Amino acid sequence: MKTIYFIRHAKAKKVAATDFDRALSPKGKEAAKVMATRLKNKNILPEIIISSPAKRTAKTAKIIAKNINFSGKIQFENSLFEATTQDYLNIINHIDSSLNTIFIVGHNDTLTQICEILSDSHIGYIPTGGVFGIEFDVNEFKDIRAKIGRVLLFDYPKKDRINLNLD
């Protein structure tokens, strides 16, 4: 079995010199810590973290790594910034098969699209800070393809918030 947890970067500031340079907002930093705690509490820990090098994704990956006590090195993949679904598949298909559980930190809309393609799900949208876990009944990452994944988890920072307007 191979398992991938796709993580959308946490909430970012709207303004920066370039889109690549957008930093996490204070709420985004807090949300990344919350999601790391949820993953750790469920004993969901990666053997490797692969991240877009954009400022907001790199910081999200670093916050998660720190808060789950990840001792490995984060692998930054340039192709994850402004990636296509084929870019994601290329990265996934080249992951060392001795690994079993990985985190990929990236950007919407492609992050949602690859999750839908691999799991044959319709989720529509992964919110900032969201995590979508998929399990694959394969021995090697090179065998991962469309519609063979089984959804394990779909969580995001505001998922448990109850908003009742009783007026």
Tab-separated table of all heavy atoms in Angstrom, residues 53-73:
chain	number	residue	atom	x	y	z
A	53	PRO	N	8.099	25.188	-3.847
A	53	PRO	CA	9.013	26.098	-3.178
A	53	PRO	C	8.444	27.503	-2.944
A	53	PRO	O	9.114	28.332	-2.320
A	53	PRO	CB	10.204	26.161	-4.145
A	53	PRO	CG	9.584	25.947	-5.483
A	53	PRO	CD	8.456	24.971	-5.243
A	54	ALA	N	7.222	27.773	-3.393
A	54	ALA	CA	6.625	29.089	-3.168
A	54	ALA	C	6.610	29.375	-1.672
A	54	ALA	O	6.496	28.462	-0.847
A	54	ALA	CB	5.211	29.152	-3.744
A	55	LYS	N	6.716	30.637	-1.311
A	55	LYS	CA	6.870	31.022	0.095
A	55	LYS	C	5.766	30.444	0.982
A	55	LYS	O	6.029	29.909	2.054
A	55	LYS	CB	6.916	32.543	0.201
A	55	LYS	CG	7.376	33.056	1.532
A	55	LYS	CD	7.639	34.557	1.478
A	55	LYS	CE	8.212	35.040	2.795
A	55	LYS	NZ	8.578	36.461	2.742
A	56	ARG	N	4.505	30.520	0.543
A	56	ARG	CA	3.384	30.077	1.380
A	56	ARG	C	3.338	28.561	1.534
A	56	ARG	O	2.972	28.051	2.587
A	56	ARG	CB	2.070	30.629	0.846
A	56	ARG	CG	1.692	30.190	-0.557
A	56	ARG	CD	0.547	31.053	-1.100
A	56	ARG	NE	0.149	30.728	-2.445
A	56	ARG	CZ	0.717	31.202	-3.544
A	56	ARG	NH1	1.762	32.021	-3.461
A	56	ARG	NH2	0.257	30.873	-4.736
A	57	THR	N	3.704	27.824	0.490
A	57	THR	CA	3.705	26.361	0.599
A	57	THR	C	4.914	25.886	1.404
A	57	THR	O	4.797	24.973	2.225
A	57	THR	CB	3.699	25.686	-0.787
A	57	THR	OG1	4.650	26.338	-1.619
A	57	THR	CG2	2.342	25.723	-1.423
A	58	ALA	N	6.056	26.505	1.171
A	58	ALA	CA	7.261	26.124	1.915
A	58	ALA	C	7.056	26.356	3.411
A	58	ALA	O	7.412	25.497	4.233
A	58	ALA	CB	8.468	26.911	1.406
A	59	LYS	N	6.469	27.479	3.772
A	59	LYS	CA	6.236	27.774	5.187
A	59	LYS	C	5.208	26.804	5.779
A	59	LYS	O	5.376	26.326	6.904
A	59	LYS	CB	5.771	29.222	5.362
A	59	LYS	CG	5.638	29.649	6.813
A	59	LYS	CD	6.976	29.654	7.539
A	59	LYS	CE	6.837	30.209	8.941
A	59	LYS	NZ	8.093	30.171	9.681
A	60	THR	N	4.154	26.493	5.028
A	60	THR	CA	3.167	25.513	5.490
A	60	THR	C	3.853	24.171	5.753
A	60	THR	O	3.649	23.549	6.801
A	60	THR	CB	2.028	25.341	4.461
A	60	THR	OG1	1.363	26.585	4.269
A	60	THR	CG2	1.027	24.287	4.904
A	61	ALA	N	4.679	23.726	4.812
A	61	ALA	CA	5.394	22.453	4.967
A	61	ALA	C	6.294	22.479	6.191
A	61	ALA	O	6.356	21.510	6.960
A	61	ALA	CB	6.203	22.151	3.716
A	62	LYS	N	6.987	23.595	6.399
A	62	LYS	CA	7.905	23.705	7.543
A	62	LYS	C	7.153	23.707	8.878
A	62	LYS	O	7.595	23.079	9.836
A	62	LYS	CB	8.759	24.967	7.407
A	62	LYS	CG	9.787	24.853	6.296
A	62	LYS	CD	10.523	26.171	6.074
A	62	LYS	CE	11.464	26.061	4.896
A	62	LYS	NZ	12.120	27.353	4.583
A	63	ILE	N	6.020	24.395	8.923
A	63	ILE	CA	5.222	24.416	10.159
A	63	ILE	C	4.698	23.019	10.471
A	63	ILE	O	4.759	22.561	11.616
A	63	ILE	CB	4.068	25.431	10.052
A	63	ILE	CG1	4.620	26.872	10.073
A	63	ILE	CG2	3.048	25.234	11.176
A	63	ILE	CD1	3.585	27.936	9.733
A	64	ILE	N	4.188	22.345	9.455
A	64	ILE	CA	3.677	20.989	9.659
A	64	ILE	C	4.812	20.071	10.109
A	64	ILE	O	4.676	19.323	11.079
A	64	ILE	CB	2.966	20.462	8.403
A	64	ILE	CG1	1.636	21.207	8.235
A	64	ILE	CG2	2.746	18.950	8.476
A	64	ILE	CD1	0.912	20.930	6.945
A	65	ALA	N	5.940	20.136	9.413
A	65	ALA	CA	7.079	19.281	9.769
A	65	ALA	C	7.498	19.494	11.228
A	65	ALA	O	7.702	18.529	11.967
A	65	ALA	CB	8.249	19.564	8.830
A	66	LYS	N	7.596	20.740	11.624
A	66	LYS	CA	8.010	21.049	13.004
A	66	LYS	C	7.006	20.505	14.014
A	66	LYS	O	7.385	19.915	15.026
A	66	LYS	CB	8.148	22.561	13.175
A	66	LYS	CG	8.530	22.968	14.578
A	66	LYS	CD	8.627	24.479	14.724
A	66	LYS	CE	8.944	24.839	16.166
A	66	LYS	NZ	8.955	26.270	16.386
A	67	ASN	N	5.719	20.657	13.726
A	67	ASN	CA	4.690	20.308	14.694
A	67	ASN	C	4.328	18.826	14.726
A	67	ASN	O	3.618	18.384	15.627
A	67	ASN	CB	3.454	21.183	14.479
A	67	ASN	CG	3.691	22.589	14.976
A	67	ASN	OD1	3.559	22.863	16.157
A	67	ASN	ND2	4.105	23.481	14.090
A	68	ILE	N	4.824	18.046	13.768
A	68	ILE	CA	4.659	16.590	13.831
A	68	ILE	C	5.979	15.918	14.206
A	68	ILE	O	6.088	14.698	14.174
A	68	ILE	CB	4.099	15.994	12.515
A	68	ILE	CG1	5.067	16.210	11.355
A	68	ILE	CG2	2.708	16.531	12.204
A	68	ILE	CD1	4.711	15.443	10.081
A	69	ASN	N	6.982	16.744	14.488
A	69	ASN	CA	8.319	16.244	14.834
A	69	ASN	C	8.961	15.455	13.705
A	69	ASN	O	9.620	14.436	13.935
A	69	ASN	CB	8.288	15.415	16.127
A	69	ASN	CG	7.784	16.210	17.294
A	69	ASN	OD1	8.127	17.379	17.464
A	69	ASN	ND2	6.938	15.589	18.099
A	70	PHE	N	8.756	15.930	12.470
A	70	PHE	CA	9.343	15.305	11.287
A	70	PHE	C	10.840	15.585	11.282
A	70	PHE	O	11.261	16.734	11.331
A	70	PHE	CB	8.681	15.871	10.022
A	70	PHE	CG	9.226	15.328	8.736
A	70	PHE	CD1	8.965	14.029	8.352
A	70	PHE	CD2	9.988	16.128	7.898
A	70	PHE	CE1	9.452	13.528	7.149
A	70	PHE	CE2	10.476	15.641	6.702
A	70	PHE	CZ	10.211	14.336	6.321
A	71	SER	N	11.650	14.546	11.228
A	71	SER	CA	13.099	14.726	11.306
A	71	SER	C	13.775	14.696	9.943
A	71	SER	O	14.973	14.942	9.844
A	71	SER	CB	13.709	13.659	12.216
A	71	SER	OG	13.422	12.378	11.701
A	72	GLY	N	13.020	14.395	8.907
A	72	GLY	CA	13.601	14.329	7.569
A	72	GLY	C	13.736	15.703	6.933
A	72	GLY	O	13.427	16.731	7.534
A	73	LYS	N	14.199	15.691	5.704
A	73	LYS	CA	14.375	16.920	4.951
A	73	LYS	C	13.174	17.109	4.016
A	73	LYS	O	12.708	16.153	3.386
A	73	LYS	CB	15.662	16.835	4.131
A	73	LYS	CG	16.001	18.097	3.394
A	73	LYS	CD	17.316	17.958	2.645
A	73	LYS	CE	17.586	19.240	1.892
A	73	LYS	NZ	18.740	19.107	0.997
